[in-house]
Every structure is written in structure tokens, then in C-alpha cells.
Amino acid sequence: MTNQIINIENLNKIYTLKNSNLSILENINFKIKEGNIVSIMGPSGCGKSTFLNIVGMLDSEFIGKYHFLNKNVINLSIQEKNSLRNNSIGFVHQFFHLIPELSVLENVAMPKMIQTNNKKESLDSAEYLINKFGLSERIYFKPLSLSGGEQQRVSIARAL
């Protein structure tokens, strides 16, 4: 039996603008079970990023029910959300959000460093991923000296 990873019921997201409300997401029902691969598609401006920010627990201002790994997200503290994100969610943002002062190696190692506080293990793991993504010759480069595709691969390696 597969485990339920995400269970969202009747999700609504409304932004208040001056004297009016702008409804971005309306009555969204969404489930992901362990092992599923899901794609979120739609035209620009339809709410994909807003939805993913909620799924990733970056935005907690919504109406509806959201359970992640059988935990009610609304009831979680900021620390609990941060821990779940660090241990269970990898992001590849539309804009890669790499830290410009850090090398490729340091950017990829950062999440594991936060999780384990083990520098050697984090750097070894990051180096392994960097090699898998064909970036070994760029390991000490800063993000701004990389192409867009290279930055995307660094971001994916960091998410993993």
C-alpha cells in the first residue's frame, strides 16, 4: 500500500487588493501518493507558483485543508514546517535562487549542511551530485559565471 504524501481539500487562495479580493485558487482538491510523478501545467498567471508555494509550505495563508505526510500543515509551527521542508521537499524555483557569494559546491551542500551539521558528509554528497550532473569542472565557480542551464542543474542538484 502506498503512503499519502499530500492531501489537499477545497484549497482557496485569495489576495486582498485595495478594496477588492482576487481569487487565485478555487476549491482545489489534490492528492499525491508515494511513488507518483505529477506535473502542474497551465497558462502564465493561473496560480501554479502560488499553488506550489502552498504545497511547499512557503505560504500558509490559505483556506482549506492541507495534510503533508498525514500532518495538518495549518497546525505546524514554523520550525516544524522548516524541518519538513528540509527533510522532505526539494525545490527548483523558476528563478534558481542560488546564493551568488557561494560556489556551486557550497550551494549544493547547503541543505544537507543545515540538516546534518556535518560539513564533510555534506560536501561529499554535494560533490557526488555535481559530478552526476556533469558540472565537475564548474564545482568552484560562482553562480553568475554559469550559463542558465548550468544554474538550473545546480538548482536541481541542491533540491536533491
Side-chain angles (χ1 to χ4, degrees):
M1 183 173 164
T2 57
N3 294 326
Q4 191 83 21
I5 305 292
I6 293 172
N7 186 12
I8 292 175
E9 297 177 20
N10 300 316
L11 177 72
N12 292 275
K13 175 67 179 181
I14 301 168
Y15 289 103
T16 302
L17 305 169
K18 294 184 183 178
N19 295 328
S20 65
N21 290 332
L22 177 61
S23 182
I24 301 295
L25 303 172
E26 295 181 4
N27 297 317
I28 304 293
N29 294 293
F30 185 78
K31 294 180 182 185
I32 297 180
K33 292 184 178 182
E34 185 177 340
N36 290 155
I37 297 174
V38 177
S39 177
I40 310 287
M41 300 178 353
S44 182
C46 74
K48 298 180 301 290
S49 293
T50 299
F51 179 70
L52 291 174
N53 282 334
I54 291 169
V55 169
M57 292 178 267
L58 297 171
D59 182 350
S60 55
E61 299 291 323
F62 60 86
I63 300 165
K65 295 179 182 177
Y66 175 21
H67 288 84
F68 183 83
L69 296 174
N70 297 316
K71 295 178 178 142
N72 186 344
V73 170
I74 293 291
N75 296 333
L76 298 176
S77 70
I78 291 172
Q79 271 187 315
E80 290 170 315
K81 288 178 189 175
N82 288 343
S83 178
L84 268 175
R85 240 190 332 272
N86 185 266
N87 293 304
S88 303
I89 299 174
F91 283 100
V92 179
H93 293 274
Q94 186 170 340
F95 303 102
F96 307 121
H97 297 294
L98 298 172
I99 301 169
E101 296 83 12
L102 300 181
S103 69
V104 166
L105 178 64
E106 293 163 328
N107 266 285
V108 175
M110 185 65 64
K112 191 169 193 82
M113 188 89 68
I114 291 168
Q115 180 185 36
T116 66
N117 203 25
N118 183 324
K119 185 175 181 178
K120 180 176 179 359
E121 180 184 336
S122 300
L123 293 173
D124 288 348
S125 176
E127 189 170 351
Y128 171 80
L129 288 167
I130 289 164
N131 289 332
K132 285 291 187 189
F133 279 91
L135 293 164
S136 58
E137 298 200 5
R138 304 275 194 261
I139 196 164
Y140 299 111
F141 283 43
K142 303 284 194 227
L144 295 177
S145 65
L146 302 174
S147 71
E150 289 169 331
Q151 289 182 42
Q152 185 174 40
R153 285 186 278 157
V154 171
S155 185
I156 294 167
R158 181 186 57 197
L160 294 171

